[in-house]
Structure formats: C-alpha cells, structure tokens
Amino acid sequence: MKNKEYLNGLNNEQREAVSYLDGPLLIVAGAGSGKTKVLTSKIAHIIEEKKAFPNQILAVTFTNKAAKEMQNRVSEILKKNSSGLSWLGTFHSISAKILRKHAEAAGLKSNFSIIDQDDQVRLIKNICKSENIDTKKISPKYILAVIDKWKNKGLYPEDVNIKKSDFLESQFLKIYKIYQTKLTDLNACDFGDLLLHCVKLFEKNQDIAEIYSKNFKYILVDEYQDTNFIQSRWLNLLSSYHKNLCCVGDDDQSIYSWRGAEIKNFLEFDKYYKNTKIIRLEENYRSTQNILTTASELIQNNKNRVGKNLFTSGEEGELINLSCLRNGKDEAINVSDKIEKLKKNCGLNNIAILVRAIFQTREFEERFLKIGLPYRIIGGTKFYERAEIKDCLSYLRIVYQNKDDLAFERIINVPKRSIGDTSLRQINEYAKKNSICLFDASRKLIELNKIKPKTKIGLISILNLISKWKNDFLRDKNHIKLLQIIMDESGYSEMLKNKKDIENENRLENIKELIGAMKEFDNLESFLEHVSLATSIDQDWDGQKVNLMTMHASKGLEFDVVFLPGWEEGLFPHQKSIEEKGQNGLEEERRLAYVGITRAKKKAIISFSMNRFYQGDWIDSMASRFISELPEKYLEKNSSFNEVKDEIDDFEFNQDFEENDNIRSPGWIRYQKRLK
C-alpha cells in the first residue's frame, strides 16, 4: 500500500476499514469514533487506488448537509474538486435522479414534480372532503404518516393487508388508493414514492437494475442504523452485482423507530450479505474515559446489539455527577447554579441540557429568564411561544379582559367555527368605526343581523362561552379549573386528542405543563402578568447561549458539559414507548440514554426529582431504572436533602423495586393506583 497522507492520521481499525475493498463491510462506529473521517477517506482511497472512477461510487447520506460535508471532505483529501462524485447524495435525491432517466418505465413522465408536505396535506384534505371524512377528527398529517409507513414497508395500496374489522385502517387504505391515483394524474411523487417507485422499477425491469448494479462498483452508506425496509431493499438491489456494500453506523444510537427505522437491518446485516467483514471502531475522540465507561455499561443491558466497548487514549476525567432534587423547580435552580459556575471556564455555547420530552424545557426557561441566563431551543420553539400555549393564554386573556383584541383574533376560529378572514375583517372594520373592542363589535353585528348565517352560529357559540367562562371564574376564582373548563368546552382538547400524531401528543403534554405552571400562582392576574413579563424580556442576547433540546435532537452533536435532567420512571424511560413497543421500546429508550451521555466531552450531570408535575398532576417520582444500571464507582452522588433527615429516609439512588416483566414502570404503577 502506498503511503498516503489520509491514511497516516487513522488508527489501526480506521485504516483497516478504509483499506478493505472486497465484499460487504459493516463498520460498527461508536459515538465519536470518527466515522465521517473513515467514510470520506475510503472514498478517496477507492479513487486513489484506481479501483473505480468517481461516477462508479454511490455514497448515500440521510441529509443534504451530510452529503455536502462529505463532498467537501473528499475534495480536501484529494486536493482537487470532487464534483465527479455525481452519485453522492441522499436516498431521495439519488432515487429522483434515477427515476428522471427511466420515468416511462416507472409509469411517470420525466418532468414529474415532487410535492412537499404542504401539498400532501392539501391533497389529503381535498380527498377527505370528497369522501365526507371529517378532518377535525382524523388529522391529514396522521393519515399521511400511516401512508408513509406503508410506503416505507414497500407497499402500494394493492399490497396492504388489513383486517376488515379495522374500520379506521380501512378508511386510510381507501384514502391511500385515491391519493396515489391523484398523484399519477398530477404526474407527481411524494418523498415516499421516490424510493418505492425506484425499487419497483428495478424489480420489474431487470435490465435497468443491472445498468446501475454493474455501474456502482462501490456503495457506501452513512447512519445505516436509521434505514427502513424500502431503503434496505433499494441498497440490496443496487449492490447485487459487485457486492461491495459498505455500511457505517451504530446500533446503539438507533433511536428513530417512530420514523420507520428498522434496527434489524443493522443487526442482521451479515445474514443479508454473505461473507460480511465486521470492523468495530471503538476508540472515541470526543469524551473522557469515565463518560465512555458509564455509557458502555448502561447500554450493555440491551440484548439486541452487535456489541462494542468504547475507550479513549485521553484522560479519565471527572466522575458522572448524579443529583436528586425535591422537585422540577429545584432541579432547574440546581442546573442554573451549576451553569453559573461552569460558564467562566467553558462558555455557554459548550453547555447543553438534554430532556426526554419537549415540555420539560419550561422549568428551565422560567429559571433562565428570571436570572438573565441566555439560552436557545435547538430543534424547537420556546415554551411560551408554542402555538398551543399561545392559544391557551389567549383564551385566558379574553376571559380576564374582553377588550383584549389580540387574544380575541387568535382564538375566535380555533378550533374551526366557520369564522373566516372576511368575517374577521368585517368585525375589525365595525370595531374601528365605532371605537369599540372586537368582542362588543361581534355582539353588535349579530344584533344588527349583519353576519352570514353559518358564521353567525359559530360566533354566537364562542361569545356565549366566553361570557359563561367569565361568570364561572368570577364565581369561584379558580384559574386552573378555568383553563381546564375552557379546553373542554371550546373543543380545543378534543381537537388535539382526535388528531392522533406525535405533534399533538406533545401539544397536550405542553398544555398539562402550562397547568403545572399556573399552580405556582395564587390567581389568574399574577400568572398572566408573569407570562407577559417573561415573554417581554429581551431574549435576543448576543453571543453565548445555553443549548436546550430533546435527546433526539442532540444526535450528532457534542458539548463540553451535558445536563441530563428528569431521569424518572414514566418520564425516562417514557411510559408510552414501553407500553406501545414493550421490550423493544425499553431498549430504544436505553439507546436514547446512551446517546445523551455520549454527547458530553468533559462532564455529564444526571438528575432526577422526588416529585414532579407530570401528565396534569403531582406524582411521587421514582429514580429511572437506568440510574440503577450506571456503574457505581463512576458516579458522584449529590442530594439536596442531606440536611433534612426525615425527607431522605426513604430515598435511595439505586432503589429496589418490583418489575412486571422488566418492562412496567413501578413509579407509573404507583401513580395509576392513586388515580383509582
């Protein structure tokens, strides 16, 4: 082998992975082990060794950003432009390219359009309307998610098998059939079609499949643990001739099953592809040894994994900090105090707080706003800026003060009440002309019979409800009960519950968290004032900010210091994940914990609280089972209860508890018993 510069900077395993060029290869790349460096070096090596021309290499990523980064890195290594890598891109972009060339064989025209999600939703809405399906009860986005799931499994409408007794799925299948016919009529594809049509094209036209299979001498895939069935099948067909398929990934970071990712593609790779070479990249260049050992011992509790042990030639580092707090508020104070001490040495940009569920950001945001600590939400919106929270607050404001026109405009047609923009414009004009508020203008226009009949029904309904809520509130002054009544009687709760998708589940959790925030205030006035002040604080801080995000959003990122709050049963592992997927769900939650810990370069701080407002009520929390799986000798334990003997008596970090099939959450069971 020639002494090439790009090989000199590699460790033995990385060099072996780059140099192996004959047959299928699975690179099990642990967190921070330099997988991108290996992939790009391998592409460069294939070209330098003249094993293939650039246009004979297929390199697949999940995002355009990753594809661009890969291209730039290869250019850097080769010291020349890598534009010849014409088949470097995402699954979807490469599939679209192939379909353009063979559109007719795929039942398309070469100028087919690719519709985005907005167009998809609009199309589904039109279909539902023509089929008399109520989109208030079944969300178009949810229908699309089901259709996408079928496409990810390689199923056209005629391939889908459902039980005749399953009315809902029957409805979805009916919509799917019409939806695909419409797409054909429009000469259009959605994202799911790009791969589905491409696979069917290859399966039905062996001559076309052979052209590509013979051309691609080497196929390289990034983040292979995140592939679904149709992506795996696509790769299988394209690699059938030369069989030089190199897949890189980490089964311990497979956390996207809810997006259709199938971990078995990774775990059973050597079954699909005979004579597979497996190389493990276990040397980590990101984290300290204590962080790596802790993460490794935790993930070893999973049964479904290829297996590896991360290590570093760097320092041992600090112990993992484990803290128990009284409640969520104390947890936020504890985290902010630690950040204040740490920020001088590492800077706020290098600090992250990773939560399991997005509603958890509220406590931290409240605290940071109070003490003036700059922060940003990565991959999401700040708590009081979330649409459902603004809706709730607007309802409360209009009840508190009928003259709040901004609140009136926001909620008047949420949920839908047939009060459109034209009607709202009419109300605004009348209000302006007569110098009255929108609420009073609406009443007056109804009296004068100036509102269209259909709109009139919806308008009378909401105005009467606002008056009723105001009277209810004046009678008992219970602001928490008020919001609960508003959510029920306005139809808002029903709107979210009926639209079954992850987004709406998050919205419901956020509203329950808002109710928790309200319980901290004696009355509605002080709460609304608090929110106004909190949201009016100048948050456009320049420079350094603490990073707040979910663990899912943190994948691929790294920070000097990582806070991991809320490690409690029912919250993490999340009860819903366990209930829906059983042992597989528990293992995915544990992989999520592994991802969270391995984002930390120097310091990882885990915490849980003894009480938490969760799912609309205070519960006695129990430490997450994941805490009992952390190696004792790598933990530094802290409790805020050291000074109060009575309060710590029944607290232990590693609590013994009965488990039902190793899946059920004892903390959750205790909570359920309380409800009965």
Side-chain angles (χ1 to χ4, degrees), residues 365 369 373-377 382-385 531-542 545:
E365 291 188 60
L369 288 167
L373 191 65
Y375 71 95
R376 65 171 68 87
I377 304 282
K382 292 179 176 179
F383 185 82
Y384 288 116
E385 291 174 11
V531 174
S532 296
L533 291 170
T535 52
S536 66
I537 292 171
D538 184 14
Q539 296 175 37
D540 296 321
W541 294 291
D542 293 326
K545 296 178 186 178

PDB file of all heavy atoms in Angstrom, residues 365 369 373-377 382-385 531-542 545:
ATOM      1  N   GLU A 365     -36.551  27.253  31.250  1.00  0.00           N
ATOM      2  CA  GLU A 365     -36.750  28.563  30.630  1.00  0.00           C
ATOM      3  C   GLU A 365     -37.184  29.603  31.666  1.00  0.00           C
ATOM      4  O   GLU A 365     -36.689  30.732  31.672  1.00  0.00           O
ATOM      5  CB  GLU A 365     -37.794  28.460  29.515  1.00  0.00           C
ATOM      6  CG  GLU A 365     -37.320  27.661  28.297  1.00  0.00           C
ATOM      7  CD  GLU A 365     -38.302  27.763  27.149  1.00  0.00           C
ATOM      8  OE1 GLU A 365     -38.550  28.881  26.691  1.00  0.00           O
ATOM      9  OE2 GLU A 365     -38.827  26.726  26.721  1.00  0.00           O
ATOM     10  N   LEU A 369     -34.881  32.868  32.453  1.00  0.00           N
ATOM     11  CA  LEU A 369     -35.424  34.209  32.249  1.00  0.00           C
ATOM     12  C   LEU A 369     -35.344  35.031  33.537  1.00  0.00           C
ATOM     13  O   LEU A 369     -35.051  36.223  33.515  1.00  0.00           O
ATOM     14  CB  LEU A 369     -36.870  34.135  31.765  1.00  0.00           C
ATOM     15  CG  LEU A 369     -37.084  33.655  30.319  1.00  0.00           C
ATOM     16  CD1 LEU A 369     -38.551  33.315  30.082  1.00  0.00           C
ATOM     17  CD2 LEU A 369     -36.607  34.695  29.318  1.00  0.00           C
ATOM     18  N   LEU A 373     -30.148  34.341  32.269  1.00  0.00           N
ATOM     19  CA  LEU A 373     -29.180  33.429  31.652  1.00  0.00           C
ATOM     20  C   LEU A 373     -29.600  33.173  30.201  1.00  0.00           C
ATOM     21  O   LEU A 373     -30.667  32.603  29.955  1.00  0.00           O
ATOM     22  CB  LEU A 373     -29.122  32.107  32.440  1.00  0.00           C
ATOM     23  CG  LEU A 373     -27.976  31.129  32.099  1.00  0.00           C
ATOM     24  CD1 LEU A 373     -26.627  31.725  32.460  1.00  0.00           C
ATOM     25  CD2 LEU A 373     -28.176  29.808  32.836  1.00  0.00           C
ATOM     26  N   PRO A 374     -28.811  33.582  29.214  1.00  0.00           N
ATOM     27  CA  PRO A 374     -29.199  33.422  27.810  1.00  0.00           C
ATOM     28  C   PRO A 374     -29.311  31.949  27.405  1.00  0.00           C
ATOM     29  O   PRO A 374     -28.486  31.129  27.797  1.00  0.00           O
ATOM     30  CB  PRO A 374     -28.049  34.098  27.039  1.00  0.00           C
ATOM     31  CG  PRO A 374     -27.308  34.896  28.047  1.00  0.00           C
ATOM     32  CD  PRO A 374     -27.482  34.231  29.354  1.00  0.00           C
ATOM     33  N   TYR A 375     -30.309  31.632  26.593  1.00  0.00           N
ATOM     34  CA  TYR A 375     -30.494  30.250  26.143  1.00  0.00           C
ATOM     35  C   TYR A 375     -31.116  30.227  24.753  1.00  0.00           C
ATOM     36  O   TYR A 375     -31.694  31.198  24.289  1.00  0.00           O
ATOM     37  CB  TYR A 375     -31.370  29.468  27.129  1.00  0.00           C
ATOM     38  CG  TYR A 375     -32.833  29.876  27.110  1.00  0.00           C
ATOM     39  CD1 TYR A 375     -33.755  29.190  26.330  1.00  0.00           C
ATOM     40  CD2 TYR A 375     -33.293  30.950  27.868  1.00  0.00           C
ATOM     41  CE1 TYR A 375     -35.088  29.566  26.301  1.00  0.00           C
ATOM     42  CE2 TYR A 375     -34.623  31.338  27.843  1.00  0.00           C
ATOM     43  CZ  TYR A 375     -35.518  30.635  27.046  1.00  0.00           C
ATOM     44  OH  TYR A 375     -36.842  31.003  27.002  1.00  0.00           O
ATOM     45  N   ARG A 376     -31.001  29.086  24.098  1.00  0.00           N
ATOM     46  CA  ARG A 376     -31.658  28.852  22.803  1.00  0.00           C
ATOM     47  C   ARG A 376     -32.291  27.461  22.850  1.00  0.00           C
ATOM     48  O   ARG A 376     -31.781  26.560  23.518  1.00  0.00           O
ATOM     49  CB  ARG A 376     -30.645  28.958  21.647  1.00  0.00           C
ATOM     50  CG  ARG A 376     -29.573  27.908  21.636  1.00  0.00           C
ATOM     51  CD  ARG A 376     -28.725  27.915  20.383  1.00  0.00           C
ATOM     52  NE  ARG A 376     -27.872  29.112  20.252  1.00  0.00           N
ATOM     53  CZ  ARG A 376     -26.642  29.240  20.784  1.00  0.00           C
ATOM     54  NH1 ARG A 376     -26.095  28.239  21.497  1.00  0.00           N
ATOM     55  NH2 ARG A 376     -25.960  30.356  20.617  1.00  0.00           N
ATOM     56  N   ILE A 377     -33.388  27.310  22.128  1.00  0.00           N
ATOM     57  CA  ILE A 377     -34.021  25.992  21.965  1.00  0.00           C
ATOM     58  C   ILE A 377     -33.590  25.441  20.612  1.00  0.00           C
ATOM     59  O   ILE A 377     -33.847  26.058  19.573  1.00  0.00           O
ATOM     60  CB  ILE A 377     -35.558  26.058  22.033  1.00  0.00           C
ATOM     61  CG1 ILE A 377     -36.034  26.714  23.331  1.00  0.00           C
ATOM     62  CG2 ILE A 377     -36.159  24.663  21.860  1.00  0.00           C
ATOM     63  CD1 ILE A 377     -36.002  25.884  24.557  1.00  0.00           C
ATOM     64  N   LYS A 382     -39.467  28.081  21.907  1.00  0.00           N
ATOM     65  CA  LYS A 382     -39.518  28.390  23.331  1.00  0.00           C
ATOM     66  C   LYS A 382     -40.925  28.150  23.862  1.00  0.00           C
ATOM     67  O   LYS A 382     -41.902  28.336  23.148  1.00  0.00           O
ATOM     68  CB  LYS A 382     -39.059  29.828  23.576  1.00  0.00           C
ATOM     69  CG  LYS A 382     -37.569  30.016  23.274  1.00  0.00           C
ATOM     70  CD  LYS A 382     -37.095  31.433  23.478  1.00  0.00           C
ATOM     71  CE  LYS A 382     -35.580  31.516  23.241  1.00  0.00           C
ATOM     72  NZ  LYS A 382     -35.052  32.868  23.407  1.00  0.00           N
ATOM     73  N   PHE A 383     -41.014  27.760  25.125  1.00  0.00           N
ATOM     74  CA  PHE A 383     -42.264  27.255  25.691  1.00  0.00           C
ATOM     75  C   PHE A 383     -43.432  28.211  25.487  1.00  0.00           C
ATOM     76  O   PHE A 383     -44.487  27.820  24.971  1.00  0.00           O
ATOM     77  CB  PHE A 383     -42.085  26.949  27.194  1.00  0.00           C
ATOM     78  CG  PHE A 383     -43.301  26.319  27.812  1.00  0.00           C
ATOM     79  CD1 PHE A 383     -43.530  24.956  27.680  1.00  0.00           C
ATOM     80  CD2 PHE A 383     -44.238  27.077  28.505  1.00  0.00           C
ATOM     81  CE1 PHE A 383     -44.675  24.360  28.227  1.00  0.00           C
ATOM     82  CE2 PHE A 383     -45.377  26.499  29.053  1.00  0.00           C
ATOM     83  CZ  PHE A 383     -45.587  25.135  28.918  1.00  0.00           C
ATOM     84  N   TYR A 384     -43.295  29.470  25.899  1.00  0.00           N
ATOM     85  CA  TYR A 384     -44.406  30.415  25.813  1.00  0.00           C
ATOM     86  C   TYR A 384     -44.655  30.933  24.404  1.00  0.00           C
ATOM     87  O   TYR A 384     -45.577  31.697  24.173  1.00  0.00           O
ATOM     88  CB  TYR A 384     -44.202  31.569  26.793  1.00  0.00           C
ATOM     89  CG  TYR A 384     -44.412  31.167  28.242  1.00  0.00           C
ATOM     90  CD1 TYR A 384     -43.368  31.209  29.157  1.00  0.00           C
ATOM     91  CD2 TYR A 384     -45.650  30.713  28.680  1.00  0.00           C
ATOM     92  CE1 TYR A 384     -43.562  30.825  30.471  1.00  0.00           C
ATOM     93  CE2 TYR A 384     -45.853  30.318  29.996  1.00  0.00           C
ATOM     94  CZ  TYR A 384     -44.810  30.366  30.882  1.00  0.00           C
ATOM     95  OH  TYR A 384     -45.005  29.962  32.199  1.00  0.00           O
ATOM     96  N   GLU A 385     -43.828  30.489  23.448  1.00  0.00           N
ATOM     97  CA  GLU A 385     -44.036  30.851  22.051  1.00  0.00           C
ATOM     98  C   GLU A 385     -44.669  29.719  21.243  1.00  0.00           C
ATOM     99  O   GLU A 385     -44.940  29.876  20.062  1.00  0.00           O
ATOM    100  CB  GLU A 385     -42.692  31.267  21.418  1.00  0.00           C
ATOM    101  CG  GLU A 385     -42.146  32.589  21.969  1.00  0.00           C
ATOM    102  CD  GLU A 385     -40.758  32.915  21.452  1.00  0.00           C
ATOM    103  OE1 GLU A 385     -40.288  32.231  20.509  1.00  0.00           O
ATOM    104  OE2 GLU A 385     -40.124  33.832  21.999  1.00  0.00           O
ATOM    105  N   VAL A 531     -46.353  35.797  32.802  1.00  0.00           N
ATOM    106  CA  VAL A 531     -46.106  35.384  31.415  1.00  0.00           C
ATOM    107  C   VAL A 531     -45.746  36.585  30.552  1.00  0.00           C
ATOM    108  O   VAL A 531     -44.806  36.533  29.753  1.00  0.00           O
ATOM    109  CB  VAL A 531     -47.328  34.638  30.825  1.00  0.00           C
ATOM    110  CG1 VAL A 531     -47.110  34.356  29.344  1.00  0.00           C
ATOM    111  CG2 VAL A 531     -47.570  33.337  31.574  1.00  0.00           C
ATOM    112  N   SER A 532     -46.474  37.670  30.717  1.00  0.00           N
ATOM    113  CA  SER A 532     -46.205  38.893  29.943  1.00  0.00           C
ATOM    114  C   SER A 532     -44.793  39.399  30.181  1.00  0.00           C
ATOM    115  O   SER A 532     -44.070  39.753  29.245  1.00  0.00           O
ATOM    116  CB  SER A 532     -47.207  39.985  30.301  1.00  0.00           C
ATOM    117  OG  SER A 532     -48.497  39.607  29.952  1.00  0.00           O
ATOM    118  N   LEU A 533     -44.396  39.423  31.442  1.00  0.00           N
ATOM    119  CA  LEU A 533     -43.049  39.888  31.781  1.00  0.00           C
ATOM    120  C   LEU A 533     -41.992  38.934  31.248  1.00  0.00           C
ATOM    121  O   LEU A 533     -40.954  39.348  30.739  1.00  0.00           O
ATOM    122  CB  LEU A 533     -42.904  40.053  33.301  1.00  0.00           C
ATOM    123  CG  LEU A 533     -43.705  41.212  33.922  1.00  0.00           C
ATOM    124  CD1 LEU A 533     -43.672  41.132  35.441  1.00  0.00           C
ATOM    125  CD2 LEU A 533     -43.170  42.556  33.451  1.00  0.00           C
ATOM    126  N   ALA A 534     -42.276  37.624  31.384  1.00  0.00           N
ATOM    127  CA  ALA A 534     -41.319  36.600  30.927  1.00  0.00           C
ATOM    128  C   ALA A 534     -41.091  36.689  29.430  1.00  0.00           C
ATOM    129  O   ALA A 534     -39.963  36.578  28.945  1.00  0.00           O
ATOM    130  CB  ALA A 534     -41.815  35.207  31.297  1.00  0.00           C
ATOM    131  N   THR A 535     -42.172  36.907  28.678  1.00  0.00           N
ATOM    132  CA  THR A 535     -42.055  36.936  27.219  1.00  0.00           C
ATOM    133  C   THR A 535     -41.598  38.288  26.688  1.00  0.00           C
ATOM    134  O   THR A 535     -41.191  38.400  25.536  1.00  0.00           O
ATOM    135  CB  THR A 535     -43.395  36.556  26.558  1.00  0.00           C
ATOM    136  OG1 THR A 535     -44.446  37.375  27.099  1.00  0.00           O
ATOM    137  CG2 THR A 535     -43.726  35.088  26.822  1.00  0.00           C
ATOM    138  N   SER A 536     -41.691  39.312  27.525  1.00  0.00           N
ATOM    139  CA  SER A 536     -41.265  40.635  27.064  1.00  0.00           C
ATOM    140  C   SER A 536     -39.794  40.911  27.345  1.00  0.00           C
ATOM    141  O   SER A 536     -39.226  41.867  26.842  1.00  0.00           O
ATOM    142  CB  SER A 536     -42.101  41.739  27.722  1.00  0.00           C
ATOM    143  OG  SER A 536     -41.846  41.772  29.127  1.00  0.00           O
ATOM    144  N   ILE A 537     -39.178  40.052  28.168  1.00  0.00           N
ATOM    145  CA  ILE A 537     -37.759  40.214  28.450  1.00  0.00           C
ATOM    146  C   ILE A 537     -36.975  40.101  27.154  1.00  0.00           C
ATOM    147  O   ILE A 537     -37.247  39.246  26.308  1.00  0.00           O
ATOM    148  CB  ILE A 537     -37.276  39.150  29.467  1.00  0.00           C
ATOM    149  CG1 ILE A 537     -37.905  39.402  30.836  1.00  0.00           C
ATOM    150  CG2 ILE A 537     -35.747  39.156  29.587  1.00  0.00           C
ATOM    151  CD1 ILE A 537     -37.670  38.305  31.834  1.00  0.00           C
ATOM    152  N   ASP A 538     -36.024  40.975  26.951  1.00  0.00           N
ATOM    153  CA  ASP A 538     -35.212  40.953  25.735  1.00  0.00           C
ATOM    154  C   ASP A 538     -34.418  39.650  25.662  1.00  0.00           C
ATOM    155  O   ASP A 538     -33.464  39.450  26.397  1.00  0.00           O
ATOM    156  CB  ASP A 538     -34.252  42.158  25.719  1.00  0.00           C
ATOM    157  CG  ASP A 538     -33.445  42.220  24.422  1.00  0.00           C
ATOM    158  OD1 ASP A 538     -33.797  41.521  23.440  1.00  0.00           O
ATOM    159  OD2 ASP A 538     -32.462  42.956  24.400  1.00  0.00           O
ATOM    160  N   GLN A 539     -34.868  38.764  24.810  1.00  0.00           N
ATOM    161  CA  GLN A 539     -34.231  37.466  24.711  1.00  0.00           C
ATOM    162  C   GLN A 539     -33.252  37.372  23.540  1.00  0.00           C
ATOM    163  O   GLN A 539     -32.681  36.319  23.277  1.00  0.00           O
ATOM    164  CB  GLN A 539     -35.289  36.374  24.588  1.00  0.00           C
ATOM    165  CG  GLN A 539     -36.176  36.277  25.823  1.00  0.00           C
ATOM    166  CD  GLN A 539     -37.292  35.279  25.640  1.00  0.00           C
ATOM    167  OE1 GLN A 539     -37.146  34.236  25.029  1.00  0.00           O
ATOM    168  NE2 GLN A 539     -38.452  35.589  26.180  1.00  0.00           N
ATOM    169  N   ASP A 540     -33.070  38.447  22.821  1.00  0.00           N
ATOM    170  CA  ASP A 540     -32.140  38.423  21.696  1.00  0.00           C
ATOM    171  C   ASP A 540     -30.713  38.699  22.165  1.00  0.00           C
ATOM    172  O   ASP A 540     -30.055  39.631  21.734  1.00  0.00           O
ATOM    173  CB  ASP A 540     -32.563  39.437  20.633  1.00  0.00           C
ATOM    174  CG  ASP A 540     -33.904  39.091  20.031  1.00  0.00           C
ATOM    175  OD1 ASP A 540     -34.160  37.896  19.825  1.00  0.00           O
ATOM    176  OD2 ASP A 540     -34.706  40.014  19.772  1.00  0.00           O
ATOM    177  N   TRP A 541     -30.292  37.849  23.122  1.00  0.00           N
ATOM    178  CA  TRP A 541     -28.947  38.020  23.631  1.00  0.00           C
ATOM    179  C   TRP A 541     -27.910  37.733  22.548  1.00  0.00           C
ATOM    180  O   TRP A 541     -28.041  36.779  21.781  1.00  0.00           O
ATOM    181  CB  TRP A 541     -28.697  37.074  24.805  1.00  0.00           C
ATOM    182  CG  TRP A 541     -29.494  37.343  26.032  1.00  0.00           C
ATOM    183  CD1 TRP A 541     -29.363  38.406  26.865  1.00  0.00           C
ATOM    184  CD2 TRP A 541     -30.534  36.528  26.589  1.00  0.00           C
ATOM    185  NE1 TRP A 541     -30.245  38.306  27.910  1.00  0.00           N
ATOM    186  CE2 TRP A 541     -30.986  37.159  27.762  1.00  0.00           C
ATOM    187  CE3 TRP A 541     -31.134  35.331  26.220  1.00  0.00           C
ATOM    188  CZ2 TRP A 541     -31.983  36.635  28.568  1.00  0.00           C
ATOM    189  CZ3 TRP A 541     -32.123  34.808  27.005  1.00  0.00           C
ATOM    190  CH2 TRP A 541     -32.552  35.461  28.153  1.00  0.00           C
ATOM    191  N   ASP A 542     -26.889  38.530  22.504  1.00  0.00           N
ATOM    192  CA  ASP A 542     -25.806  38.269  21.569  1.00  0.00           C
ATOM    193  C   ASP A 542     -24.835  37.253  22.159  1.00  0.00           C
ATOM    194  O   ASP A 542     -24.700  37.128  23.363  1.00  0.00           O
ATOM    195  CB  ASP A 542     -25.053  39.573  21.236  1.00  0.00           C
ATOM    196  CG  ASP A 542     -25.937  40.536  20.449  1.00  0.00           C
ATOM    197  OD1 ASP A 542     -26.761  40.042  19.652  1.00  0.00           O
ATOM    198  OD2 ASP A 542     -25.802  41.760  20.638  1.00  0.00           O
ATOM    199  N   LYS A 545     -24.937  31.270  24.452  1.00  0.00           N
ATOM    200  CA  LYS A 545     -26.235  30.831  24.970  1.00  0.00           C
ATOM    201  C   LYS A 545     -26.174  29.355  25.364  1.00  0.00           C
ATOM    202  O   LYS A 545     -25.523  28.558  24.686  1.00  0.00           O
ATOM    203  CB  LYS A 545     -27.329  31.012  23.905  1.00  0.00           C
ATOM    204  CG  LYS A 545     -27.601  32.443  23.508  1.00  0.00           C
ATOM    205  CD  LYS A 545     -28.657  32.523  22.407  1.00  0.00           C
ATOM    206  CE  LYS A 545     -28.806  33.961  21.921  1.00  0.00           C
ATOM    207  NZ  LYS A 545     -29.791  34.062  20.825  1.00  0.00           N
TER     208      LYS A 545
END
